[in-house]
Amino acid sequence: MSPSLAVEAHGLVKHFAGRKTVTKAVDGIDLAITEGTVFGLLGPNGAGKTTVVHMLATLLRPDAGTARVLGHDVVRDADAVRSAVGLTGQYASVDEDLTGTENLLMLARLYGFRPAAARRRVHGLLEAFDLADAGARQVKTYSGGMRRRIDLAASLVLAPRVLFLDEPTTGLDPRSRNQVWDIVRVLVDDGTTVLLTTQYLDEADQLADRIAVIDHGRSIAEGTASELKRSVGEGAVHLRVAEVADRAKAAEITERLLGADVVLGSDPHALSARVPDEGADAVVGLLPALADAGIVVPEFSLGQPSLDEVFLALTGQPLPDDEPGSDGSSAAPGRRETSEAPR
């Protein structure tokens, strides 16, 4: 175990037995997470992200492989691991019938804080998470963003050195998601190591120092966001058409000229495509070709591929779109529809 690694795993495997079949939820995952960083596990639902977290947090016993958290083996030294980590799952785990203050006080007392110290710790957490005014209210009256913040606060009563965040912003509105992101950044600045699972591409791009892309229980790529983007090509075309009805035709022209799959964002005006090496010269002719077809393009840019395009290139399919497009339409036949608009 390197002293600079907070989490290290080799060949983690986990099976789940059904009535007739055995599912390999995690199939040989390796991890090396440096202290004081955010490590992202990016993948769709069912990829094995939560199972990995539960093994590292000692909630599940690995069927094969080894893992150490802060130097402690997750099987042999499970108690030591639990004393050093925090876990926030996909759903709020606090008692909805208690107030925010009562929830945090209960946890602080269970962790061994004396009454006065517990009150000081709870007051500090409520202030830090912008919940001081809501502390006396029952959690069941909280909004979705407030529930996630009180859940995060609960996982930090003991100020863990390693924090596992399992899809912490699922279902939150953009403002609440940004609040959670700000909290994560502050925690890392204070020295906490964060393992973040997410299926949101922008979340991994915004927060993670390194990202492992996992699919069907296997890690299929790992690196920084920039490294992953460079791995599938040096450039990407992003454009928006003036008329929604023109997007399908624009996608056909772009695909034909560049010889690359087109990604249709949830923005009904937007599309993007990677620029393969052999298609770089064709980019020059793309705008004239669109103009000849009578398609008005108010926005056009060249940049790095998005993480969505990385996932598409690695797996042959995009991450699932959690929300329909604003026009309520589905993707055109043969096109890839994603939850991320081109940047």
Side-chain angles (χ1 to χ4, degrees):
M1 178 77 179
S2 168
S4 63
L5 292 181
V7 178
E8 187 173 12
H10 299 285
L12 281 184
V13 173
K14 185 62 184 178
H15 303 87
F16 292 107
R19 290 185 177 181
K20 296 182 179 179
T21 61
V22 175
T23 300
K24 185 176 282 188
V26 175
D27 188 10
I29 292 288
D30 297 329
L31 293 173
I33 303 175
T34 304
E35 289 187 31
T37 64
V38 179
F39 190 94
L41 287 181
L42 175 66
N45 284 330
K49 305 186 299 294
T50 296
T51 304
V52 170
V53 167
H54 284 182
M55 286 190 285
L56 295 175
T58 75
L59 298 179
L60 288 174
R61 187 184 183 97
D63 293 324
T66 61
R68 299 173 71 84
V69 177
L70 298 172
H72 305 294
D73 187 277
V74 298
V75 175
R76 294 193 301 271
D77 304 323
D79 286 343
V81 173
R82 294 185 194 117
S83 69
V85 305
L87 169 63
T88 297
Q90 296 177 23
Y91 305 100
S93 58
V94 293
D95 190 326
E96 293 192 341
D97 290 324
L98 298 179
T99 68
T101 298
E102 288 169 343
N103 268 287
L104 298 185
L105 278 174
M106 176 180 66
L107 288 171
R109 296 292 285 135
L110 288 172
Y111 283 134
F113 283 76
R114 293 184 179 276
R119 287 192 295 272
R120 287 194 299 271
R121 180 61 178 162
V122 169
H123 176 75
L125 287 169
L126 291 174
E127 289 285 348
F129 285 82
D130 195 23
L131 291 169
D133 293 339
R137 288 166 44 194
Q138 288 179 299
V139 171
K140 63 185 177 184
T141 69
Y142 286 11
S143 67
M146 293 168 69
R147 289 181 187 221
R148 295 309 291 156
R149 297 205 303 276
I150 195 67
D151 207 37
L152 277 169
S155 67
L156 295 173
V157 169
L158 273 183
R161 292 174 59 192
V162 176
L163 179 61
F164 300 120
L165 297 180
D166 191 13
E167 299 194 18
T169 63
T170 296
L172 296 187
D173 60 82
R175 179 176 179 274
S176 297
R177 289 179 69 197
N178 284 328
Q179 288 178 325
V180 173
W181 292 356
D182 289 341
I183 291 168
V184 172
R185 294 185 182 105
V186 170
L187 291 172
V188 174
D189 287 344
D190 288 341
T192 301
T193 304
V194 175
L195 172 58
L196 169 79
T197 78
T198 184
Q199 57 180 314
Y200 293 130
L201 303 153
D202 56 341
E203 186 158 83
D205 214 352
Q206 287 279 341
L207 293 178
D209 298 289
R210 291 186 66 81
I211 300 166
V213 181
I214 67 173
D215 193 30
H216 295 97
R218 294 185 178 184
S219 177
I220 56 178
E222 183 182 325
T224 66
S226 295
E227 288 169 348
L228 291 173
K229 292 171 184 178
R230 286 197 301 269
S231 73
V232 300
E234 290 297 327
V237 168
H238 306 295
L239 62 90
R240 297 183 82 252
V241 296
E243 301 294 333
V244 173
D246 288 335
R247 185 169 76 158
K249 181 64 175 177
E252 291 177 6
I253 294 171
T254 302
E255 192 171 77
R256 172 169 51 81
L257 287 180
L258 299 186
D261 286 331
V262 169
V263 176
L264 301 180
S266 57
D267 178 348
H269 295 268
L271 63 92
S272 63
R274 288 190 301 116
V275 181
D277 293 337
E278 62 274 16
D281 293 339
V283 175
V284 178
L286 180 56
L287 278 178
L290 293 170
D292 289 343
I295 299 172
V296 178
V297 180
E299 295 181 23
F300 181 92
S301 64
L302 286 170
Q304 277 192 319
S306 67
L307 282 180
D308 188 56
E309 290 154 345
V310 171
F311 197 84
L312 173 62
L314 292 171
T315 68
Q317 60 182 352
L319 280 169
D321 193 355
D322 291 302
E323 296 181 6
S326 59
D327 65 343
S329 62
S330 60
R335 305 285 178 254
R336 317 286 185 162
E337 185 152 353
T338 79
S339 58
E340 181 180 57
R343 285 185 288 274

